[in-house]
Amino acid sequence: MDIKAKVLSGLRWTISARFASQLFSWMVTIIVIRLLNPEDYGLLAMATVFISFLILLNTLGLDAPLVQKKDLTEDERRRIFGVIILANLAIFVGLFLTAPFIAQFFDEQQLTAIIRVLSLSFLIDIFLLLPLAKLDREIAFKHRSIIEFVTAVISSLATLALAYYGFGVWSLVYGSLLSHLLRTIGMNLIAPSWCKPDFSLTGLKQLFLFGSYVTMERGLWHIHSESDKLIGGRFMGADLLGYFAVASHLASFPIQKLSSLIQSIAFPAFSKAKQITDKTGIYFLKANQVACVITFPVFLGISCVAPELVKIFLGEKWVSAIIPLQILALVMPFRALGNIITPLLWGIGMPRVSATNLLIAAIIMPIAFMVGSQWGPVGLSLCWILVFPFIYFVYLLRTCPLIGIKATDCLKTITGPLISSVTMYLCVIYINPFLLGSSGDILHLIQLVAVGTVTYLSVMLLFFRNDLLMTLDSLKN
C-alpha cells in the first residue's frame, strides 16, 4: 500500500473511531459536569498543569526518532527504551516528593494526594512508547483506533459511575488513571514490541539532539497553552478556575481530539512524504484547507450558541462559564491550524524551527495571562483571542518557506471559511430573539443550529464554491 492509501486508510479508521468516542465522551462529560462542582474541576486543572507538562517530556523526545529515523537499529531501539524507563521513574519519584510543595503553591492541600495518584500514570506509560511507535512507523491505525475507542468508553463510564456515587474530584482522577492503563494494555496486545532495555547511552548522541528539540518544543507548547491555568489557579482560586477550566475544556474538546488525530497521522504522513516525494507543501495546504472548512463554522457556532449550550446541558450553576466559553471558542480554529504546523516541521526534520515558533508563544502568552488574570475567567479568555491569532501568523511566516509555499497561500485557504463563518455568526445573533422559545429551550437551540448551518453552507456555495468542493474532494479521495 502506497503512502496516500495508507494515510487515507488511517484517516478513515481514526476519524470514525475518534468521532464515535468523542460523541460518547461528550455525552458522558456533560453528565459528569452536571454532577460535579466548579471546585472539583479547578482542583483537577491545578494538578494536571504539572502532570500534563511532564507527560509531554517523559519520552525526552526519543519517540520522534523512533518514528522518523529511517535506518533505526535494534540496539538504538533497546537503548531508547532504557532511557524511557529511567526518565519515567525519575518523574514519578519527583512528583511524589514535590506534591506537597505544589499544593502549597496553590494553597490547596487536597492536591498532594491527587498529584501522587496521578503520578502513577508515568509508571504505566513506560510500556506504551514502543507499541505506539511501531504503529506510527507503519501508519497502521485500524486496531489502534479500536483500542482508543474502547478505552474512551470504559474510562468515561467509570468516571460517570464514580461521580454519581459522590467521589467528586476523585472520579476525574481515577478515570484518567484507568484510561492510561487500558490504553497501554490494549496497544501492547495489538502491537507487541517488547525488547530488553539497554541502559547504555552509546550511539544516541544524534537521537538525543533531535529529541532535545522535540522535548523543548513540547515544553514550550505546554507553557503557552496551559500557563493560563497555572496563573489563574494561583490568583483566582479553585472555584473561579473551575469555571474557566470547564469553559476551556468545552471549547477545546473538539480540538483535543483533532490534535491527537493530527499528531498520530500527520507526523508519520509528513515524514513519509518528505522521504519519497517533493509535495510536502501541497499536502500541507490541503490539510490546512480541510481544517479551515471544518473548524471555523464549528467553533464560531459553539461561540454564538454558548448561552443555550450551557443552560440546557450544564445547568444554572455553570452560567458563569458562558462568556469565557464564547470567547475561547473564537480562537480555537487558529489553535487547530497551529497544530498542523507542529507535525509538519517534525516530519521534515525541522524541530528546531518549531521549537523557536513555540518559544515566541511561550514568552508572550504567559505575560498576557498575568495581566488578564486580574479580571478573572473573562480576562484570561480575552488573552487568547487578542494575542494568539497574531502568533499563528508568525508561525506561518517562519514555516511556509521551508516547504516551498507562501504564507499568503495559507491565508487564502482561511479567507472563505472565515468570511462564511462570521456571516453565520452575525446571522444567528441577529435572528436569535425572533425564534421560538427561550435560551434554555432545546427547540430554540435546534433552530439556531439550523439557521447557522444553512447560512454557512449558502455563503460557501455562493461565493467560495471551489473551496468547499475541493475540501469535499480531498475528504473523498
Side-chain angles (χ1 to χ4, degrees), residues 79-91:
R79 287 166 186 164
I80 288 175
F81 186 40
V83 171
I84 298 305
I85 293 174
L86 295 177
N88 280 270
L89 287 175
I91 291 173

Side-chain angles (χ1 to χ4, degrees), residues 84-255:
I84 298 305
I85 293 174
L86 295 177
N88 280 270
L89 287 175
I91 291 173
F92 168 73
V93 173
L95 271 176
F96 194 89
L97 295 177
T98 59
F101 301 102
I102 298 174
Q104 186 177 6
F105 173 80
F106 287 112
D107 195 22
E108 292 286 351
Q109 294 308 309
Q110 296 181 69
L111 286 177
T112 299
I114 292 173
I115 291 172
R116 284 177 171 172
V117 172
L118 286 174
S119 67
L120 294 171
S121 61
F122 291 97
L123 300 182
I124 298 171
D125 285 352
I126 289 174
F127 305 100
L128 182 62
L129 173 67
L130 293 182
L132 276 184
K134 180 179 180 181
L135 292 169
D136 283 350
R137 194 175 180 90
E138 297 173 356
I139 317 183
F141 299 106
K142 177 179 178 180
H143 294 96
R144 171 178 174 173
S145 300
I146 295 173
I147 293 297
E148 291 183 342
F149 172 73
V150 172
T151 296
V153 170
I154 296 176
S155 59
S156 296
L157 289 176
T159 301
L160 175 60
L162 291 169
Y164 179 79
Y165 286 105
F167 279 77
V169 66
W170 287 102
S171 60
L172 303 172
V173 173
Y174 293 139
S176 174
L177 199 63
L178 179 62
S179 178
H180 280 271
L181 180 62
L182 292 176
R183 187 167 182 247
T184 299
I185 293 173
M187 294 304 173
N188 277 277
L189 289 175
I190 63 171
S193 51
W194 169 260
C195 67
K196 183 179 179 181
D198 183 348
F199 298 100
S200 170
L201 302 181
T202 304
L204 295 185
K205 181 178 179 180
Q206 291 301 317
L207 298 185
F208 270 120
L209 181 61
F210 184 91
S212 66
Y213 287 122
V214 175
T215 300
M216 182 189 305
E217 175 187 329
R218 289 171 175 170
L220 293 172
W221 176 86
H222 190 274
I223 290 172
H224 97 260
S225 64
E226 296 295 322
S227 57
D228 52 359
K229 299 178 183 64
L230 175 66
I231 295 170
R234 183 69 178 86
F235 292 104
M236 297 191 309
D239 282 334
L240 288 179
L241 180 62
Y243 290 118
F244 176 80
V246 166
S248 179
H249 180 67
L250 293 176
S252 64
F253 203 84
I255 200 178

